[in-house]
């Protein structure tokens, strides 16, 4: 507990806030790692449920589509109903959906369960971040709390690969879903006893037109990006989804200007620092999620790693993200402006991706992959923590849920777009490589392996450019001061937890 100089507790400080952080972090870890934990298990699940190559992508995209498309709605529900209540509901629903997916007897049942997981994750994730925002109001403690949270948000995806490899190799692919049940159970018990929250704003009304326009636009864009891999970016269906999504989002912004109870109050995104943080998060995750996809296949199909060994190969990057978030960003953010961490972090991450552009069919993990992972992980740790702290700082309590949801939306949509965009670039580059170099049919296998790696390196060059763009956006848009400076009187300050 924090005390005043007279030995009295600081007003508004929750004595159980650090244990509450453990519960919030556990829930966030479950949500983030579930986006990747099934990746390594996908070949086993495809064989068991007789999925076609064209349909297997839905194990991944059904989750990201529902998650990314419904986050704004989930954030507003958290504000109206109450953050703790929606947090518990999200945990229980996520566990039930995981059980259904683990017991799936058909591909359709698994796809539906993954979509249901995404729906409950869209409620759970913004509730978790907004609870963190309103629980930690002291700048010094807030930095530490967001350092831990940022490490989980950045490293959870890599942890998912490790857990996916262990569970698939020693148990079954189904345990990649069943594992969420005990995690959610522990989090529910902890939430009921340790977390505190102000009542929801039941007098407010849900912005139904905003829900339809905003969520519909995001769903269309995420769906269009996911369909670009099998159909191609020039497909009329994909173009219709992307254009339609853009039109819906334009109408959404126009409606939010005059809606009596807007789904996304525009003053949240009008703030220069907050908008810059949202954009930086989206751009950074484009490169990060693209890397996860490429390295998973590179390690298993090119270097011949087992699922477990491939998962463990991501461990150094996870450790670097944690160090960057908790040991560097969390310690420095209270003394320095956020962009002085974000910009170098994005440049370091771009350097890691640049090393990977030099991969070959016979590249060595220690000399080629490991240095890149360390640089990328450290850089992302310097980006994630200050982005989340800056994006949610100075927000009125009744807007904390939707603000938190917007941060998660930027991360999820960025990851979805990155996976689809970079994978399409890699595939088309590999095809062009085969056309140019396959002159002797007897060398087809060798040429195809080289083509796959060539496709990865071309896409990684694009990822380098996107990561540098994230550094540029952070440097130009995020102009806020160090959190230790006094908050101006005209800025809202989070109310103390009751």
């Amino acid at each position: 507990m924090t005390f005043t100089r007279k030995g009295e507790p600081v007003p508004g400080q929750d004595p159980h806030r650090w244990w509450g952080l453990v519960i919030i972090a556990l829930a966030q870890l479950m949500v983030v790692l579930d986006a990747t934990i099934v990746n390594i298990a996908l070949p086993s699940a495809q064989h068991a449920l007789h999925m076609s190559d064209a349909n297997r992508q839905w194990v991944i995209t059904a989750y990201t589509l529902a998650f990314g498309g419904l986050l704004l709605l989930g954030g507003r529900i958290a504000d109206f109903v109450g953050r703790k209540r929606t947090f518990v509901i999200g945990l229980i629903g996520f566990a039930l959906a995981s059980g259904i997916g683990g017991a799936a007897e058909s591909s359709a049942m698994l796809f539906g369960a993954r979509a249901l997981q995404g729906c409950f994750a869209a409620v759970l994730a913004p509730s978790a971040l907004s609870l963190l925002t309103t629980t930690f109001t002291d700048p010094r403690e807030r930095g530490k709390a967001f350092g831990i949270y940022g490490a989980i948000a950045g490293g959870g995806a890599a942890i998912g690969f490790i857990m996916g490899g262990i569970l698939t190799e020693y148990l079954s692919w189904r345990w990649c879903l069943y594992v969420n049940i005990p995690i959610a159970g522990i989090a529910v018990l902890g939430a009921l006893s340790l977390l505190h929250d102000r009542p929801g704003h039941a007098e407010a009304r849900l912005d139904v037109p905003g829900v339809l326009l905003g969520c519909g636009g995001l769903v269309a864009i995420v769906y269009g990006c996911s369909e670009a891999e099998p159909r191609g970016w020039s497909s009329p269906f994909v173009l219709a989804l992307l254009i339609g999504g853009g039109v819906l989002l334009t109408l959404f912004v126009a409606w939010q200007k005059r809606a009596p109870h807007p789904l996304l109050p525009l003053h949240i995104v009008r703030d220069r620092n907050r908008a810059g943080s949202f954009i930086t998060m989206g751009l950074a995750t484009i490169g990060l999620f693209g890397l996860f996809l490429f390295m998973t296949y590179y390690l298993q199909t090119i270097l011949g790693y087992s699922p477990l060994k491939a998962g463990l190969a991501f461990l150094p990057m996870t450790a670097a993200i944690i160090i960057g978030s908790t040991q560097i960003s969390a310690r420095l953010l209270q003394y320095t402006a956020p962009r002085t961490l974000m910009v170098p972090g994005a440049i370091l991450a771009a350097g890691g991706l640049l090393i990977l552009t030099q991969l070959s069919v016979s590249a060595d993990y220690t000399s080629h992959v490991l240095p890149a992972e360390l640089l990328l992980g450290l850089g992302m740790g310097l980006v994630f923590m200050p982005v989340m702290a800056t994006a949610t700082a100075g927000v009125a309590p009744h807007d904390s849920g939707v603000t938190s949801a917007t941060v998660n939306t930027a991360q999820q949509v960025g990851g979805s777009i990155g996976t689809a965009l970079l994978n399409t670039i890699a595939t088309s580059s590999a095809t062009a490589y085969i056309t140019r170099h396959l002159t002797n049919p007897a060398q087809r296998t060798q040429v195809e392996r080289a083509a796959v790696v060539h496709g990865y390196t071309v896409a990684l060059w694009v990822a380098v450019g996107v990561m540098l763009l994230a550094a540029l956006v952070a440097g130009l848009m995020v102009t806020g001061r160090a959190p230790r400076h006094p908050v101006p009187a005209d800025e809202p300050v989070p109310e103390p937890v009751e």
Side-chain angles (χ1 to χ4, degrees), residues 303-322:
L303 299 187
Y305 283 19
S306 67
L308 175 58
K309 189 176 180 181
L312 291 174
F314 285 99
L315 191 57
M317 182 166 62
T318 304
I321 291 175
I322 293 173

Side-chain angles (χ1 to χ4, degrees), residues 138-485:
D138 178 78
R140 187 179 185 88
E141 291 190 348
R142 186 182 177 92
K144 294 179 181 178
F146 272 93
I148 295 171
Y149 190 90
I152 291 171
I159 294 172
F161 285 116
I162 298 170
M163 290 186 64
I166 294 172
L167 294 172
T168 301
E169 191 153 329
Y170 293 106
L171 292 174
S172 164
W173 67 268
R174 296 181 183 276
W175 277 97
C176 292
L177 294 159
Y178 286 145
V179 71
N180 292 318
I181 298 176
I183 295 176
I186 294 171
V188 167
L189 294 176
L192 293 175
S193 59
L194 296 171
L195 296 180
H196 304 282
D197 187 29
R198 300 177 63 85
H201 300 268
E203 73 283 357
R205 295 291 181 268
L206 191 63
D207 177 18
V208 177
V211 171
L212 296 176
L213 292 172
C215 296
L218 286 174
V219 167
I221 289 176
V222 176
Y223 184 26
C225 290
S226 68
E227 285 295 294
E229 180 183 351
R231 297 173 182 266
W233 289 101
S234 60
S235 164
F237 182 68
V238 171
L239 291 176
L241 284 171
L242 296 177
I243 294 173
V247 170
L248 288 175
L249 290 180
T250 301
L251 295 175
F252 169 76
V253 172
W255 168 250
Q256 295 305 285
K257 293 179 180 179
R258 59 189 183 91
H261 301 285
L263 181 65
L264 176 61
L266 293 183
H267 66 264
I268 290 176
V269 293
R270 285 197 188 106
D271 180 88
R272 181 190 186 100
N273 295 295
R274 203 168 289 128
S277 297
F278 294 152
I279 297 172
T280 300
M281 173 66 85
L283 291 173
T285 50
I286 286 178
L288 182 63
F289 275 67
L291 171 90
F292 286 151
L293 177 70
F294 298 147
M295 292 311 300
T296 299
Y297 280 94
Y298 178 79
L299 293 172
Q300 292 191 68
T301 62
I302 303 299
L303 299 187
Y305 283 19
S306 67
L308 175 58
K309 189 176 180 181
L312 291 174
F314 285 99
L315 191 57
M317 182 166 62
T318 304
I321 291 175
I322 293 173
I323 291 172
S325 293
T326 63
Q327 300 302 313
I328 301 178
S329 292
R331 295 175 183 271
L332 295 181
L333 184 59
Q334 57 186 315
Y335 302 113
T336 186
R339 65 176 173 183
T340 60
L341 295 172
M342 296 182 195
V343 174
I347 293 174
L348 275 177
L353 292 170
L354 184 64
I355 293 174
L356 290 175
T357 61
Q358 307 304 310
L359 287 177
S360 65
V361 175
S362 58
D364 180 69
Y365 174 82
T366 304
S367 60
H368 290 79
V369 179
L370 181 59
E373 285 191 2
L374 294 175
L375 276 180
L376 181 66
L378 186 62
M380 296 309 294
L382 294 177
V383 170
F384 279 132
M385 184 268 168
V387 160
M388 291 181 178
T390 303
T392 57
V395 179
H398 62 273
D399 284 331
S400 64
V402 71
T403 305
S404 304
T406 308
V407 179
N408 281 282
T409 298
Q411 183 180 26
Q412 193 64 30
V413 173
S416 300
I417 292 174
T419 300
L421 172 64
L422 298 181
N423 190 64
T424 299
I425 293 172
T427 302
S428 59
S429 299
T431 302
Y433 184 94
I434 292 174
T435 301
R436 293 194 306 268
H437 293 85
L438 186 59
T439 56
N440 184 356
Q443 299 178 334
R444 184 173 188 85
T445 300
Q446 182 180 355
V447 172
E448 286 179 345
R449 284 166 58 84
V452 169
V453 176
H454 171 75
Y456 294 165
T457 58
V458 172
L460 286 167
W461 274 109
V462 177
V464 170
V466 173
M467 198 66 76
L468 290 175
L469 180 60
L472 181 63
V473 169
L476 295 178
M477 293 188 66
V478 184
T479 57
R481 298 170 297 175
R484 67 186 175 93
H485 291 287

Side-chain angles (χ1 to χ4, degrees), residues 6-28:
K6 296 181 179 181
E8 298 175 353
V10 175
Q13 292 285 6
D14 182 355
H16 302 298
R17 60 193 177 280
W18 291 107
W19 282 109
L21 174 62
V22 173
I23 300 303
I24 294 171
L26 189 63
Q28 177 65 13

